[in-house]
Every structure is written in C-alpha cells, then in structure tokens.
Amino acid sequence: MALKDLFGKKKKYASIPGDKARKDVPEGLMQKCGGCQKIFYQKELQKNLNVCPGCGHHHQISAYERINYLVDEGSFKEWDKDLLSKNPLNFSQYEEKIESDIIKTGLNEAVVTGEGRIHKVRMAIAVMDSRFRMGSMGSVVGEKIARAIEKARIEKMPIIIFTASGGARMQEGVLSLMQMAKTSIAIQRLHADNGLFISVMTNPTTGGVSASFASIGDYNFAEPGALIGFAGQRIIEQTIREKLPKDFQTAEFQLKHGQVDKVIPRQEMRDTIATIFDIHQFGGGESHAASSRV
Ligand SMILES: [Zn+2]
C-alpha cells in the first residue's frame, strides 16, 4: 500500500467481502444490508424504519414494528390475540412447529389484527408476519383477518391489510385453502357496504394470500422490491417452458403490468394512507400537519 493511500478519502461505511467475515459482526449492534451488503448500526436502520439509508432496500420487519411505524402513538388495540392454531389434520409435528414459532417471535400466529388511528382517523388493521410459519395462512390467520374485515364493515372503519406470506399453510390442507374464499367473501361484503380496503403487499406476498384478499383492495399497494406472485418463477418456467424476465414478480414489475396501483416507500406509507382517508372523507377533516408524526 502506498503511503498516500493511508490518507485517502475514508469510506463512510465498511463493507464485508464474504460470509466468513460476517460472523464477526456483533449481533444486535450491527446489521448487514440485504441490498448493498454494507454494514450499518442497527439503531441507524431502525431510525430509518429499517430501510437502508444507502440503497433504499426495504428490510423485513415484524408485525409490531410495522404497526409502530404506522399508527398514532399509543392508539393500537389488539384483537383476537388469544386465537391459537389447533392441528385439525393431525399433521406430524405441526404443534411443535407452532410452539417453537410462538417462542421465536413472541406472536401467537402469523397475523396481528386490531384497531388504531392514523392522523386521528380510526381504522382496522391487520399485519402479517413472515417470521411465523413463513406468514402462511391457516384457519387462525384467515379467521383473524375475516373478523377484522367484518368489524371494519360493521363499525364503518377503513381497513388496511399488510400482507407477507408464503401462501396457504400446508399442515392444514384444504382448511387453509378455505381461508382464501372466507377472506375474499368478507371483502366482498365490505365492498357491498361501501367500505374501504387498502391492501399493502410487502415482501413476500405469494400463493394463496396473493390469490385472495391481497389482490382485491380498493387500492393495491406494494413496498419497493417486494416479491409478489402466485407460483414461484421456476414452477412457471417448467410449466410454460419459457424463460421469464429477471425482474418478474417484483412490486415494480407488477406495477408496470397493472397488478399493483402504486409502489410506496415505507417512509411515505403513513402520509399516503392519511391522504386516502381524507379523499374518502374519513375523520372530521382534521389537519394532517397538526397530527403528523413521521
Ligand atoms: Zn443497502
């Protein structure tokens, strides 16, 4: 190394070359960006709603983190927290897997539902969490979502659902598939009563969830870079015997092809939703600026 290199411009962030080096990063303090591979203080990322300040990569977040980022402080009240999955088909080791995910995530199932406020407007909200059984939709997930939609309809609140799901939960077989119909019918009833449903697809939204309620919002939004699709790329390629484009099934691809109405960065989500509430005349026309938090 030449002497002058020692006094060169310092890199703002360190970058690591490989997996071996990554093990040296102290857990809980630093985090490697899944997009640009640079290392950040976790605090720095959290302050930025877990969006990389360098490349804009949207990291996956837990259901409660998302709710915190979104609703007016202290306004969230959870519903149906104690609904627990059974093992209706006696699927081998299903109970053990549920139990270990409960311990791992601190959640009882792959969705959190409840009510909260955005810019003081009361709304129903459901947020899926892909850390729990890959966000798969079994009877409890479907039931919690259907109940939240029904409550929104009866109490004339808008509902927002953030999806993050690998699809139907295979351990519950056809009972999982039934949840697609149940949630979609609940949305249909909401629409018949002039209710408002905003769907926000986050990474990943696939399978039975993408093929049911996630795609039938009055507004279908997505987070940047989210994987959105029904079957995986490899399966489709094998079925149709054609090569698919590289960006196939990203939020941006779906936007270009009319499947998504808008791709919204996480930092803009709260204000965008507030604007939509305003357009649909929810709330008493209160000033957004006065209650804005983000
Ligand atoms: Zn990055």
Side-chain angles (χ1 to χ4, degrees):
M1 187 193 273
L3 190 62
K4 68 176 170 59
D5 289 340
L6 290 173
F7 302 99
K9 206 174 145 204
K10 269 194 189 143
K11 269 195 180 167
K12 203 169 172 198
Y13 305 105
S15 58
I16 343 179
D19 278 352
K20 202 170 164 280
R22 189 165 60 171
K23 293 203 179 88
D24 298 335
V25 181
E27 213 173 296
L29 183 63
M30 311 292 282
Q31 196 181 324
K32 188 176 175 182
C33 170
C36 62
Q37 317 296 317
K38 284 178 185 162
I39 306 226
F40 295 91
Y41 281 108
Q42 243 178 28
K43 270 191 184 156
E44 192 184 358
L45 277 175
Q46 277 161 5
K47 225 171 79 188
N48 207 33
L49 314 187
N50 273 296
V51 175
C52 174
C55 73
H57 179 77
H58 283 52
H59 292 94
Q60 282 174 318
I61 51 175
S62 72
Y64 288 122
E65 273 177 304
R66 189 176 295 282
I67 290 165
N68 271 338
Y69 292 161
L70 201 75
V71 304
D72 297 350
E73 220 170 330
S75 70
F76 181 70
K77 288 184 205 116
E78 188 165 350
W79 297 335
D80 298 317
K81 195 178 176 173
D82 300 326
L83 273 192
L84 290 170
S85 284
K86 295 235 161 100
N87 188 2
L89 306 181
N90 275 326
F91 200 97
S92 168
Q93 295 189 317
Y94 183 35
E95 281 121 329
E96 288 87 338
K97 282 179 173 157
I98 290 278
E99 192 55 45
S100 95
D101 278 4
I102 288 174
I103 293 163
K104 186 181 83 186
T105 62
L107 300 168
N108 280 341
E109 251 304 334
V111 69
V112 174
T113 60
E115 63 169 270
R117 289 171 187 268
I118 289 185
H119 292 192
K120 294 187 184 164
V121 176
R122 190 169 166 244
M123 54 155 193
I125 183 168
V127 182
M128 299 186 80
D129 195 315
S130 62
R131 295 172 306 152
F132 197 104
R133 299 281 86 217
M134 288 176 67
S136 57
M137 176 162 67
S139 310
V140 169
V141 169
E143 179 67 17
K144 283 175 86 171
I145 289 172
R147 283 188 192 185
I149 299 165
E150 195 62 8
K151 213 162 185 168
R153 181 181 72 80
I154 291 164
E155 298 190 21
K156 305 216 173 299
M157 292 181 271
I159 178 159
I160 305 168
I161 306 181
F162 286 83
T163 53
S165 178
R169 186 166 300 173
M170 62 165 195
Q171 292 94 341
E172 293 187 29
V174 75
L175 296 170
S176 281
L177 299 183
M178 263 176 57
Q179 308 310 315
M180 295 170 67
K182 186 165 83 185
T183 50
S184 299
I185 290 165
I187 293 290
Q188 167 63 26
R189 281 164 60 112
L190 176 83
H191 281 154
D193 274 4
N194 296 319
L196 174 69
F197 166 37
I198 300 171
S199 171
V200 185
M201 291 170 259
T202 73
N203 190 42
T205 294
T206 60
V209 167
S210 76
S212 61
F213 62 91
S215 302
I216 52 172
D218 296 289
Y219 297 88
N220 296 317
F221 295 146
E223 277 199 333
L227 173 79
I228 300 165
F230 182 60
Q233 178 149 4
R234 198 161 42 92
I235 292 169
I236 300 173
E237 284 178 339
Q238 281 167 1
T239 311
I240 63 169
R241 293 168 200 279
E242 267 180 51
K243 210 77 201 122
L244 292 164
K246 249 199 180 136
D247 63 343
F248 179 66
Q249 295 186 326
T250 59
E252 292 73 14
F253 183 91
Q254 305 290 15
L255 174 70
K256 233 192 299 178
H257 294 83
Q259 194 70 21
V260 158
D261 298 316
K262 196 171 170 39
V263 175
I264 302 173
R266 199 171 283 161
Q267 296 96 327
E268 293 169 23
M269 193 63 75
R270 185 176 141 85
D271 285 344
T272 306
I273 290 170
T275 304
I276 292 168
F277 287 170
D278 220 19
I279 292 168
H280 290 267
Q281 299 186 313
F282 283 100
E286 283 164 294
S287 154
H288 287 168
S291 61
S292 186
R293 203 189 60 176
V294 175

